[in-house]
Amino acid sequence: MEKMEGARSNEKTYLVWSIFNTFCCCFPLGVAAIIYSCRADTANSLGDGTKARESSRTARNLNIAAVVIGIICLIIIIVSYMVPK
């Protein structure tokens, strides 16, 4: 019922967020998020809503993890410069 010929699904791909995370937060998770973003886009084009939803959710979760790791690393760097040696 989910898959219809010629129909396009509208799940978010999070591609822009994935690219941002690749360059600014956490490279490995950003690359994985780009891969899942592209999978979501392909599934959207094919009208496969289930696969698009799963790939979109995975891309979103990877992006959230990349941002959290990036923020933690930034805090560690700032604290290491603030602590007197």
Side-chain angles (χ1 to χ4, degrees):
M1 187 163 93
E2 286 285 329
K3 190 173 183 179
M4 298 174 60
E5 288 300 318
R8 178 168 167 83
S9 178
N10 286 329
E11 293 297 323
K12 290 184 178 182
T13 62
Y14 301 105
L15 184 60
V16 174
W17 192 13
S18 301
I19 292 169
F20 172 80
N21 282 332
T22 299
F23 292 113
C24 298
C25 294
C26 182
F27 184 79
L29 290 179
V31 170
I34 288 174
I35 291 169
Y36 280 97
S37 295
C38 291
R39 286 183 184 176
D41 186 52
T42 301
N44 277 335
S45 297
L46 296 175
D48 188 353
T50 304
K51 184 172 257 186
R53 198 171 306 109
E54 290 171 1
S55 297
S56 176
R57 186 178 311 122
T58 303
R60 184 194 66 215
N61 291 341
L62 288 168
N63 281 318
I64 291 169
V67 167
V68 169
I69 290 171
I71 290 171
I72 290 170
C73 288
L74 184 63
I75 290 170
I76 290 171
I77 290 169
I78 291 171
V79 168
S80 69
Y81 280 112
M82 302 283 289
V83 174
K85 295 179 179 177

